[in-house]
Amino acid sequence: MTATSDREQMAYVSAQAADARVKVELDTGDMTLNIGPQHPATHGTLRIACQLDGEQVVVAEPIMGYMHRGYEKLCEVRTYPQCTTLINRIDWLGSFANEVPFILAAERLMEIEAPPRAQWIRTILFELSRIANLALFLGDMGVQIGALTPVFFAFRDRERVLNQIEEVTGGRFHPNFDRIGGLKDDIPKGWIEETRSVMVKMRTFCDEMEDLLVGNEIFQARCRGVGVIPPEVALGYGLSGANLRASGVDWDLRRDANPGLAWDQVDWRVWTHPDGDSFARYWVRLQETREATHIVDQLLDGIPSGPIMAKVPRIIKVPAGEAYISTENPLGEMGYYIVSKGDLGPFRVKIRTPSFNNISIVPWVMKGVYVPDVITILGSLYFILGDIDR
Amino acid sequence: MPRLPGLIKGLGVTARTAGRTLFPKRGWKTLIPAPQKGAVTVQYPHEKEAPPDRARGVIALHEENCTACMLCSRQCPDWCIYIEGHKVKAPPRREGGKPRTVNMLDRFDIDYALCMYCGICVEVCPFDALFWTPEYEYSEPRIADLLHDKDRLGEWMETVPDFLDYETGSEQKVRKVPR
Amino acid sequence: MTTLLALPYWQETGIKLGLALAVIPTTSLILVYLFLFKMMAFMQSRLGPNDTGPYGTLQLIAEAIKFLQKEDIHPEQADRRVFRMAPVVVLASTFLLYVVLPAGPDAVVQNLDTGVFYAMAVSSLSVLGILMAGWASANKYALLGGLRAAGQLIAYELPLILAVMGVVIQAETLNLQGIVEAQATGEIFGFGAIGNPFILTQFIAFLIFMIAAQAELTQTPFDMPVAETELVGGFHIEYTGFRFLLFFMAEFGTAFAFAALASVMFLGGWWIPGFDVDDNILNVLGPGVMLAKILLVAFFIFWVRFTYPRLREDQLQKFAWKVLIPLSLANIVLTGIFKVVF
Amino acid sequence: MTDETTIEETPPADDQRERLLSDLSDSLGEILVESHLRPHENIWFRVKIEAWQDAAMAAKSAGFEYFGFLSAIDWHIAPEGRYEDTEFDTGLVEEDDEPVEIDSSTGYGGGDTRFQMLMQLYSLSEQAGVILKADVGDDMTVDTVREIFPGADWHERETHEMFGISFRGHPTLQPLYLPTEFEGHPLRKDFPLLARQVKPWPGVVDIEEIPEHLEAQLEAEVMAAFESNEGGS
């Protein structure tokens, strides 16, 4: 105000005053719009309380807990083998991947290691659940922005992957197949060939998604430049997985902090995208799905023979100590911090889920976007409600 | 703003899929529409999809093998297995032996309303009394009816498939299902 | 005008009205069954309804009965009268559209001299109903949907009308029957065997008309007013049962009517090459030809609907004002020049 | 972003983490209470609670800028166990009457109080993580780190409702998961798990023994049947 001699300053002040006057004269109160908890875009029961000015979001605050199941508490009263039953249900679309870090953390404390064959099959199943999970995202993102068909393609082709998982583990969604020291069972005859043909189909699915969505100009118009997350913000919020890589951070726990699975045995690359917008997130996930099919193909070629269980006592007692193991799950970094007191069950389990961190950026990224963009951003951040609420 | 190629490609994908669904046959038969064959969906009550042999559909109980050792009940994370039993005297195995004390199973109930289908009970059973079967048609209109007793669990024993052979390189031994 | 049967005016009108009333639900049934149920299913590797009746044809009857059985629910805060009237207004706009759609030389409810003008005017009535629904539902989603619909329908009414202008200039009449006749008697460089369907000379206008119609019908990629994944149905979020059925019927009835308008104005309407324009037999064959053409146009409308994602509201407005309207104006200018030159 | 040089898989000693340990210990200075290293895994630092923010700041400036998670540990030994023993199956355990028994001896980096803060940070350039711990005093208050790591915002809210630890300087400490009127802090060890209390453990049932007075009689019956059977065949 003091620098009235400055013409620019004058212009600025008068513009501010005009704005304020308009706001007083046309007292347009903000509208609160609750997106969710029952809303098709929140796949699950997430609620986003949006303050709208017209169709523009002023403040968006996610409210969750509608599905909080208290797994951290429940794990405390269960034995280690019993915990995996629960852990399956955290990210229910890629459930095998949930078991692995928990089992690895327990193995780390017990200082045993699963035999190589078990590690390879673990890695294959891990990547299969990644494909199953991301395939649904690839289709679902289409639905979020209005394309009806992709999600049906996704369900169609994901089913093939789930069948492969079921043929080995017996469970489509909740395999509960990983055991401390190895796996519950070996793979059945003929499975490798079937999986190979499924991987070919999944690559076709990726091509279809590329034609239906990535190349589609309407899709690009909706996603490019929407919900841009710069890398330093992404790091501060602890974003992980494709959300981080779409912001240009070349970071993949499979490559950079491999906890002993067979990823270092095969040739693959980490995809990143410099833009950090919704389109980049979709694109990175699409490439990752395709890359995962190549990883599975290579792994299938080289499964070593041998046992699938290390020597473990029948009654599992994990020595006292603490361990934190995280792996690159379909949604991002999932880690288990296990505090053991040498008991049958863990003393405390802190479950670090990717979606919780990924969604915590919502208030930051949704300032000033339009209502349709809220859906685009939510879709592209890709969360599973069980993964947020635990 | 929309340029042509991407939009046209998308139309091509859906049209191709429609064609493949409607005319799945090869050769001159292509002209005969056969959506029943081309669609990936299974029309459930008319045709049934066969789940894989390892599918965890329901737990079957081979009662003769059960010794009421309570292991499954105690290991169950959901506390959904109820076992009761009593001890009886059985004749000795060979002549001149002493009479043995064996466990008789009175009650073996699994509450499928609570069960999380984790398979821990099947795994911990040391006597091969519990098996998974891919059977899945046992829904009930009332939740209380999902508590199945040992007779019902025994009936499912017939549907237990044989264990599958393993892929080459495996050192696992193929188990046998008691019949 | 030669009439098929020499009937008094009121009897003729009565028959036509009855036919039109029967046609509207039937047409939306056909569209829903063929495209929404079956074509969409095939495009998604599914079968669609196949259990009720042969190939699931009776599914729609079952659906209609289901809707009729449902309780008629008003939101507590709703403006009841407006809430109830809204679907009727929307459906009325659809009904009124059918009045001028010709299916033969005499197979038309009312052959208005300003048929095109009337059709455009009446079709924009539905905006009113949608706005009413959006406002009266006392729901924020519905309000957003209603406002979006209003903005969108107004924005797309212009290119729609301007696209039709080209046809009107070329045909030199606003009468839909006249347009059909103009196409039937037209010649392409002296070759008149198939007449001159205006899609050949007015291709840009046809494209603009189809795009604008897509927006008018609130079909994807322009379905922001309903947008299931954002506004959960938009203006009809609070409607259940019979009232929802009315909206639903109006949606598909209007789709049918617009497909009919497109085939009348661009594809030659009911005329069959080789027949005289006044031939009485066309009153019988015409509806069949029209139906085939309409289904062809509707196929494209729904094909696009099942394939594309949806645009954002601001992008849609930009597209209308910055691309479609200048294009259609250019088209009018070009048509005018050609009209004067040739 | 990342350093392309990968760590050797199993060198005998973890030089990299030892270097990180000494570096970070130096920069933490006297706010460091205790540290612990598990080779090829993690480094644990226990810092003074007053310096929680400073420790986070120091870690961030040392390159640990990727926020993993923030939580707490309750070292109170739960009176209920796993709810599988009969004596604990009935009745709630009164919170106030029980002396709080703490056992944090097994925790890395040690601990003196019941509640301990826990924060995991990662360095993308070093490809290594650290876990920061701090003992929470009786005032149950910690400084917020949400200015340093914005992602900590929700984690602090969760910790607040689950353990009852307050965060100084956090503007919106309302519950994240639980309803606003919820009482108690569920992840505390003395918070009863009702799901396990409303129902007795089915594993507590044991096989019914043969009553002693009938044993001899039954034995004789069985033997008689056995012998007659043997004779017959």
Side-chain angles (χ1 to χ4, degrees):
Chain A
M1 286 287 207
T2 47
T4 37
S5 52
D6 192 347
R7 286 185 67 178
E8 275 180 26
Q9 184 76 12
M10 273 289 280
Y12 176 75
V13 168
S14 55
Q16 289 289 305
D19 264 9
R21 201 168 60 240
V22 166
K23 200 138 196 197
V24 172
E25 280 170 7
L26 311 165
D27 183 17
T28 50
D30 290 346
M31 176 165 91
T32 310
L33 186 73
N34 273 312
I35 297 180
Q38 306 289 330
H39 189 282
T42 58
H43 34 178
T45 43
L46 180 72
R47 177 175 146 211
I48 299 195
C50 292
Q51 286 247 325
L52 297 186
D53 179 12
E55 267 210 44
Q56 218 161 17
V57 176
V58 181
V59 184
E61 181 65 34
I63 297 166
M64 63 257 205
Y66 296 94
M67 239 181 108
H68 185 57
R69 295 157 290 181
Y71 278 171
E72 291 178 12
K73 182 88 177 170
L74 292 175
C75 281
E76 287 172 10
V77 299
R78 279 165 166 77
T79 62
Y80 285 94
Q82 286 175 348
C83 281
T84 53
T85 321
L86 293 179
I87 283 161
N88 266 199
R89 283 151 173 87
I90 292 176
D91 160 17
W92 49 67
L93 292 182
S95 22
F96 183 79
N98 295 341
E99 299 170 14
V100 175
F102 179 79
I103 294 291
L104 285 174
E107 280 178 0
R108 195 58 72 82
L109 279 173
M110 291 177 75
E111 286 173 346
I112 52 171
E113 204 167 319
R117 187 176 174 86
Q119 298 282 35
W120 279 69
I121 297 173
R122 262 183 199 172
T123 320
I124 293 173
L125 289 172
F126 198 105
E127 291 302 314
L128 282 181
S129 56
R130 179 191 313 280
I131 296 168
N133 185 324
L134 290 185
L136 196 60
F137 161 80
L138 295 177
D140 183 66
M141 182 71 186
V143 165
Q144 303 295 336
I145 59 172
L148 278 168
T149 308
V151 79
F152 286 93
F153 287 3
F155 275 119
R156 179 191 70 194
D157 288 330
R158 183 187 70 139
E159 197 59 36
R160 305 183 210 275
V161 182
L162 289 180
N163 276 342
Q164 291 314 106
I165 295 177
E166 191 182 9
E167 262 170 45
V168 176
T169 65
R172 283 171 80 239
F173 270 62
H174 306 305
N176 194 25
F177 194 64
D178 217 352
R179 298 287 180 273
I180 293 174
L183 291 168
K184 182 184 154 199
D185 210 347
D186 211 322
I187 48 178
K189 209 169 190 59
W191 185 80
I192 291 182
E193 281 315 306
E194 279 173 43
T195 312
R196 259 202 203 103
S197 67
V198 168
M199 287 306 110
V200 174
K201 291 214 172 88
M202 288 317 288
R203 281 193 282 275
T204 327
F205 165 75
C206 290
D207 294 342
E208 278 178 343
M209 286 301 122
E210 190 130 19
D211 285 349
L212 261 179
L213 291 177
V214 173
N216 190 307
E217 284 78 1
I218 300 175
F219 180 82
Q220 295 191 1
R222 281 298 303 279
C223 291
R224 282 208 192 264
V226 172
V228 179
I229 303 173
E232 48 305 340
V233 178
L235 286 176
Y237 274 97
L239 254 60
S240 52
N243 294 333
L244 188 65
R245 286 190 285 277
S247 294
V249 183
D250 190 9
W251 176 246
D252 193 314
L253 288 167
R254 287 179 286 176
R255 182 194 62 194
D256 300 325
N258 185 358
L261 298 193
W263 286 303
D264 49 359
Q265 313 281 327
V266 293
D267 180 33
W268 60 284
R269 62 164 289 188
V270 176
W271 292 87
T272 55
H273 197 288
D275 286 0
D277 54 8
S278 301
F279 181 80
R281 290 191 276 275
Y282 187 88
W283 186 85
V284 166
R285 288 206 178 89
L286 181 70
Q287 303 305 328
E288 265 173 28
T289 315
R290 205 175 270 150
E291 197 66 49
T293 64
H294 292 302
I295 297 178
V296 171
D297 271 350
Q298 294 179 46
L299 287 170
L300 287 173
D301 287 334
I303 303 178
S305 51
I308 48 153
M309 256 324 234
K311 290 239 174 320
V312 271
R314 198 172 170 82
I315 292 165
I316 291 168
K317 278 195 175 179
V318 174
E322 295 176 22
Y324 176 69
I325 298 278
S326 58
T327 52
E328 187 72 30
N329 273 39
L331 295 162
E333 178 191 348
M334 174 173 243
Y336 293 86
Y337 191 88
I338 297 182
V339 180
S340 175
K341 278 181 169 292
D343 223 336
L344 285 172
F347 181 74
R348 162 122 174 83
V349 183
K350 163 69 193 168
I351 308 171
R352 188 260 192 233
T353 52
S355 296
F356 185 76
N357 279 30
N358 288 351
I359 284 303
S360 70
I361 203 169
V362 160
W364 185 89
V365 77
M366 279 191 186
K367 276 202 184 86
V369 301
Y370 292 108
V371 172
D373 292 342
V374 171
I375 312 297
T376 315
I377 294 169
L378 266 189
S380 72
L381 282 174
Y382 191 37
F383 58 94
I384 305 275
L385 218 94
D387 204 44
I388 303 176
D389 277 3
R390 304 197 285 280
Chain B
M1 273 302 112
R3 279 176 293 123
L4 229 52
L7 295 172
I8 301 279
K9 261 190 201 165
L11 286 177
V13 172
T14 41
R16 233 183 3 252
T17 315
R20 234 180 280 147
T21 314
L22 200 52
F23 305 107
K25 294 187 174 162
R26 293 267 161 266
W28 65 272
K29 283 182 177 166
T30 310
L31 294 174
I32 309 165
Q36 293 274 358
K37 191 166 165 276
V40 292
T41 44
V42 176
Q43 306 305 313
Y44 168 61
H46 308 303
E47 38 180 315
K48 282 169 191 168
E49 200 182 18
D53 283 356
R54 282 192 187 172
R56 300 204 298 265
V58 72
I59 298 165
L61 170 72
H62 191 62
E63 207 186 319
E64 288 88 78
N65 280 2
C66 182
T67 60
C69 67
M70 307 293 294
L71 257 178
C72 49
S73 171
R74 284 175 189 160
Q75 284 295 315
C76 179
D78 303 308
W79 300 0
C80 72
I81 304 180
Y82 309 96
I83 302 178
E84 278 166 27
H86 68 274
K87 293 199 168 165
V88 288
K89 289 286 171 189
R93 280 192 209 280
R94 53 195 163 73
E95 212 165 339
K98 280 188 176 175
R100 299 170 301 141
T101 313
V102 294
N103 293 347
M104 276 292 287
L105 189 66
D106 294 331
R107 176 185 179 212
F108 191 102
D109 291 355
I110 298 183
D111 190 347
Y112 282 103
L114 280 179
C115 179
M116 286 180 34
Y117 297 82
C118 63
I120 288 177
C121 50
V122 179
E123 222 173 313
V124 296
C125 181
F127 302 105
D128 275 1
L130 290 171
F131 294 93
W132 279 111
T133 132
E135 181 67 33
Y136 54 89
E137 288 174 310
Y138 56 96
S139 62
E140 297 284 349
R142 289 192 317 131
I143 200 163
D145 293 343
L146 278 169
L147 183 83
H148 292 307
D149 60 4
K150 64 180 197 283
D151 297 334
R152 186 80 200 271
L153 298 176
E155 283 168 25
W156 277 318
M157 221 25 230
E158 290 169 16
T159 61
V160 177
D162 285 327
F163 285 100
L164 297 170
D165 288 343
Y166 290 110
E167 193 72 81
T168 42
S170 167
E171 290 180 3
Q172 293 285 105
K173 286 201 181 61
V174 181
R175 288 163 61 209
K176 280 239 149 44
V177 180
R179 300 282 179 191
Chain C
M1 190 198 231
T2 52
T3 39
L4 194 61
L5 301 162
L7 287 174
Y9 174 73
W10 65 270
Q11 282 181 1
E12 192 192 315
T13 314
I15 290 172
K16 282 175 174 175
L17 258 181
L19 268 176
L21 282 181
V23 155
I24 291 164
T26 326
T27 53
S28 32
L29 282 183
I30 292 171
L31 285 196
V32 170
Y33 174 73
L34 269 184
F35 297 117
L36 192 65
F37 283 0
K38 282 299 178 182
M39 191 178 91
M40 174 156 126
F42 292 150
M43 282 182 171
Q44 296 163 351
S45 299
R46 299 182 289 122
L47 270 186
N50 59 350
D51 231 24
T52 24
Y55 302 102
T57 36
L58 299 180
Q59 177 68 26
L60 268 167
I61 314 286
E63 299 269 339
I65 293 172
K66 178 193 81 182
F67 277 124
L68 291 179
Q69 283 172 336
K70 283 189 174 175
E71 191 190 345
D72 183 21
I73 302 170
H74 302 88
E76 206 176 15
Q77 302 283 314
D79 188 339
R80 285 203 171 206
R81 197 171 297 166
V82 182
F83 183 82
R84 280 184 198 166
M85 265 163 61
V88 181
V89 172
V90 173
L91 195 62
S93 136
T94 310
F95 269 81
L96 291 174
L97 257 180
Y98 277 71
V99 169
V100 288
L101 293 181
D106 304 308
V108 57
V109 178
Q110 193 55 263
N111 185 13
L112 292 177
D113 277 343
T114 53
V116 176
F117 177 74
Y118 168 84
M120 294 297 123
V122 158
S123 73
S124 42
L125 244 181
S126 65
V127 186
L128 208 62
I130 288 172
L131 250 184
M132 282 162 70
W135 171 254
S137 295
N139 181 312
K140 289 167 186 167
Y141 286 110
L143 183 62
L144 273 179
L147 290 176
R148 279 182 184 191
Q152 165 175 342
L153 298 191
I154 289 164
Y156 276 81
E157 203 71 26
L158 258 170
L160 194 72
I161 293 166
L162 292 177
V164 170
M165 286 297 288
V167 174
V168 171
I169 292 171
Q170 203 178 356
E172 295 173 2
T173 173
L174 277 171
N175 187 326
L176 282 169
Q177 292 286 37
I179 290 174
V180 174
E181 267 168 51
Q183 291 179 71
T185 54
E187 288 177 342
I188 312 161
F189 302 119
F191 175 69
I194 57 161
N196 178 18
F198 286 158
I199 185 171
L200 299 175
T201 48
Q202 295 286 336
F203 189 69
I204 299 170
F206 176 70
L207 276 186
I208 296 168
F209 182 86
M210 289 313 291
I211 293 171
Q214 199 85 359
E216 279 278 304
L217 299 168
T218 63
Q219 308 270 29
T220 330
F222 306 108
D223 67 337
M224 302 75 159
V226 281
E228 293 100 33
T229 42
E230 303 159 17
L231 300 185
V232 215
F235 58 86
H236 57 59
I237 186 169
E238 293 287 1
Y239 285 88
T240 56
F242 186 60
R243 285 176 214 287
F244 177 75
L245 186 65
L246 292 185
F247 272 126
F248 193 75
M249 253 169 64
E251 186 189 339
F252 285 90
T254 320
F256 191 89
F258 268 94
L261 273 179
S263 39
V264 164
M265 288 191 291
F266 296 101
L267 301 180
W270 41 261
W271 183 67
I272 307 169
F275 286 92
D276 209 21
V277 186
D278 295 334
D279 203 334
N280 240 341
I281 194 77
L282 281 178
N283 279 328
V284 184
L285 296 178
V289 175
M290 272 298 281
L291 189 66
K293 285 179 181 171
I294 288 168
L295 290 184
L296 185 72
V297 175
F299 169 74
F300 280 98
I301 294 181
F302 287 96
W303 188 12
V304 166
R305 170 183 171 152
F306 301 140
T307 306
Y308 290 160
R310 94 170 61 83
L311 280 167
R312 214 167 50 204
E313 193 63 31
D314 56 326
Q315 291 164 343
L316 162 128
Q317 297 283 355
K318 261 183 218 150
F319 184 59
W321 294 103
K322 289 189 179 165
V323 180
L324 287 185
I325 291 176
L327 248 181
S328 48
L329 285 173
N331 181 53
I332 292 173
V333 171
L334 267 180
T335 317
I337 291 170
F338 273 93
K339 197 76 196 168
V340 173
V341 172
F342 296 103
Chain D
M1 290 285 303
T2 39
D3 202 348
E4 281 302 319
T5 54
T6 47
I7 328 158
E8 285 172 63
E9 272 308 296
T10 44
D14 195 349
D15 297 336
Q16 182 216 13
R17 280 194 174 76
E18 269 166 24
R19 180 175 50 79
L20 283 175
L21 174 67
S22 63
D23 285 359
L24 203 54
S25 304
D26 290 345
S27 60
L28 285 173
E30 53 188 44
I31 56 177
L32 179 68
V33 181
E34 212 177 322
S35 65
H36 182 93
L37 175 84
R38 261 179 85 110
H40 312 298
E41 261 188 51
N42 256 323
I43 319 167
W44 279 262
F45 290 100
R46 185 153 69 96
V47 296
K48 290 185 178 142
I49 191 72
E50 312 84 54
W52 182 241
Q53 262 181 349
D54 299 342
M57 207 58 218
K60 191 179 184 180
S61 45
F64 294 90
E65 54 190 6
Y66 180 74
F67 175 76
F69 65 84
L70 181 145
S71 189
I73 308 176
D74 180 2
W75 288 108
H76 175 33
I77 302 223
E80 289 92 352
R82 285 167 47 232
Y83 296 86
E84 289 176 358
D85 306 309
T86 38
E87 58 260 39
F88 293 122
D89 281 343
T90 49
L92 296 173
V93 179
E94 286 299 320
E95 201 175 311
D96 301 333
D97 301 345
E98 296 283 318
V100 174
E101 197 186 331
I102 303 161
D103 177 17
S104 55
S105 57
T106 56
Y108 293 153
D112 303 320
T113 53
R114 178 176 165 187
F115 292 100
Q116 202 168 43
M117 290 301 298
L118 190 64
M119 175 158 62
Q120 198 258 353
L121 300 170
Y122 218 95
S123 164
L124 300 197
S125 52
E126 295 282 354
Q127 305 192 340
V130 287
I131 285 159
L132 296 181
K133 283 179 160 187
D135 292 342
V136 181
D138 288 337
D139 61 343
M140 296 291 283
T141 312
V142 191
D143 285 326
T144 177
V145 292
R146 67 188 281 279
E147 270 87 38
I148 303 163
F149 298 106
D153 188 332
W154 283 17
H155 289 263
E156 285 178 355
R157 275 169 70 182
E158 190 198 356
T159 312
H160 172 68
E161 66 181 329
M162 291 298 170
F163 291 96
I165 297 169
S166 302
F167 290 87
R168 209 177 291 122
H170 194 295
T172 48
L173 269 182
Q174 69 242 48
L176 192 64
Y177 287 134
L178 305 170
T180 19
E181 60 272 13
F182 192 89
E183 281 178 24
H185 304 289
L187 274 184
R188 285 191 181 181
K189 285 281 179 183
D190 48 16
F191 189 87
L193 187 60
L194 278 177
R196 290 254 141 147
Q197 281 181 344
V198 292
K199 187 181 163 183
W201 185 43
V204 90
V205 185
D206 221 330
I207 297 290
E208 206 177 317
E209 294 290 338
I210 303 171
E212 259 176 53
H213 63 280
L214 285 177
E215 199 163 352
Q217 187 196 336
L218 281 173
E219 212 165 292
E221 275 174 23
V222 165
M223 283 312 278
F226 179 65
E227 268 149 28
S228 69
N229 207 8
E230 285 281 299
S233 63

